[in-house]
Amino acid sequence: MTDTPLQTSWIEAVARGGIPDATALSDHLRAVHSKHPGFTEACAGQCRDAEGRTSYEWLAEAVETGRHRTVLDLACGSGALLSILDARMSEDTRLMGVDMSPDELALARAQLPERRVDLMEGRAQQLEHLRDGSVDAVLCHWALTLMDPVAPVLAEIARVLAPGGRFAAIVDGPMNAAPGYAAVHDLIYGHVQAALPAYGRIELGDPRVRNADDLMKLAEAAFSGGTMRVETTVVCLRGPADVVAREAAGFFYAAFILVPGAREAMLADLAVLLSERNGVAAAEFTMPINRLVVDLPHVSSTK
């Protein structure tokens, strides 16, 4: 964490009681990832489900060797998912990553083999560098919830997917699926709202992505003739209370708004909450996740 508070046009608009536009949202996300590159991987890479999988590994399972020879990681961040795919997929698989943050892409380039992975800077709403029907599988790890407008994103994914292609995304799961998650959310947001009262009434991204029924409707509208499903699981992180609290808070964009002193106070309260809920010396943080999987028909539908 750096000591200077985060200042963006998105935060300023929320503080005034206004509604930030898509440009302000993009600028805000770039600012967060510029100051804290790799923070998504730091938390999500440690949380595991009952089968021992991280959310990255669960998403990677949607890609089938042999069937999916060209794979795009949309909003690839620091390259955590691409690293898993690089280890799992056959040598003739083409891997690509797109992200709008140059700082995240710098981390990805440092850990991924250049001969194997093509990394590109760009926005999910404009994938003009990819031809129609040129990708067998598109993956998106926990970024779809941040994209607004989201309909053009889904339209672009549908455009670049080949007939019979697959789109899979990790998004927020229902709060009640993970014990104690709502309490963690409310504690962090309570601290943030003490400094920025309107935070939470205006969320990052399109709120429909966070609701499984609404997400299905968005997918049905974008992927004509496709078959789709939403699956839910829970990932967990256990360890010393101060460590778990810091990692858990790092997954909430809201936490990055707090100035250092307020952040430390929030982390102390969160460590107590996570320890009390578990009832033992080690703390536990559980997080619900949904996986959307869309399979396109093998014959292109008329649009």
Side-chain angles (χ1 to χ4, degrees):
M1 295 291 296
T2 56
D3 291 335
T4 55
L6 186 68
Q7 295 292 337
T8 68
S9 58
W10 189 92
I11 293 174
E12 292 170 357
V14 173
R16 294 194 304 268
I19 299 177
D21 59 18
T23 299
L25 173 61
S26 295
D27 291 345
H28 179 72
L29 296 176
R30 284 194 186 94
V32 173
H33 285 272
S34 178
K35 292 189 70 172
H36 313 286
F39 76 88
T40 302
E41 179 181 356
C43 178
Q46 298 183 65
C47 296
R48 296 185 178 274
D49 65 10
E51 297 184 34
R53 302 169 300 187
T54 68
S55 53
Y56 291 111
E57 291 167 338
W58 192 35
L59 183 56
E61 288 180 1
V63 179
E64 299 177 10
T65 300
R67 175 185 170 192
H68 300 134
R69 297 186 178 276
T70 305
V71 182
L72 170 65
D73 182 1
L74 191 59
C76 64
S78 56
L81 178 60
L82 286 167
S83 292
I84 294 170
L85 293 171
D86 177 47
R88 292 186 180 184
M89 304 300 290
S90 61
E91 284 293 325
D92 62 348
T93 304
R94 182 190 179 195
L95 300 177
M96 298 178 291
V98 173
D99 202 279
M100 69 176 184
S101 169
D103 300 278
E104 295 284 4
L105 287 172
L107 290 180
R109 289 191 176 98
Q111 68 173 323
L112 293 168
E114 186 175 351
R115 60 169 180 78
R116 168 78 153 164
V117 182
D118 296 325
L119 296 172
M120 298 160 277
E121 184 175 342
R123 297 178 69 245
Q125 290 90 351
Q126 295 174 310
L127 301 175
E128 65 272 4
H129 43 286
L130 295 175
R131 293 180 290 104
D132 293 8
S134 61
V135 181
D136 296 319
V138 177
L139 305 181
C140 186
H141 182 272
W142 237 315
L144 200 64
T145 53
L146 303 170
M147 296 174 181
D148 192 13
V150 73
V153 175
L154 298 176
E156 278 290 85
I157 294 169
R159 179 184 67 79
V160 303
L161 274 177
R166 172 173 289 176
F167 169 54
I170 295 292
V171 298
D172 300 50
M175 281 196 185
N176 60 4
Y181 180 79
V184 171
H185 174 279
D186 292 347
L187 185 150
I188 293 173
Y189 272 56
H191 278 266
V192 173
Q193 288 166 348
L196 192 63
Y199 195 96
R201 293 196 295 273
I202 299 172
E203 274 285 12
L204 300 175
D206 191 320
R208 291 177 295 176
V209 178
R210 296 176 172 89
N211 179 281
D213 291 338
D214 290 340
L215 178 59
M216 286 287 282
K217 291 176 183 176
L218 286 168
E220 288 167 358
F223 302 100
S224 177
T227 60
M228 53 207 70
R229 64 186 185 274
V230 173
E231 306 157 319
T232 301
T233 192
V234 173
V235 292
C236 177
L237 176 63
R238 297 184 181 90
D242 59 335
V243 174
V244 175
R246 194 169 297 275
E247 294 297 342
F251 204 77
F252 289 80
Y253 276 81
F256 293 106
I257 292 176
L258 296 171
V259 298
R263 178 177 172 82
E264 291 305 314
M266 178 271 292
L267 289 174
D269 288 348
L270 183 55
V272 171
L273 173 68
L274 294 173
S275 297
E276 289 178 344
R277 196 186 69 77
N278 200 34
V280 296
E284 179 181 81
F285 168 62
T286 58
M287 182 162 52
I289 58 176
N290 279 345
R291 182 175 71 170
L292 169 69
V293 180
V294 178
D295 284 306
L296 296 188
H298 288 275
V299 178
S300 297
S301 57
T302 303
K303 296 190 177 181

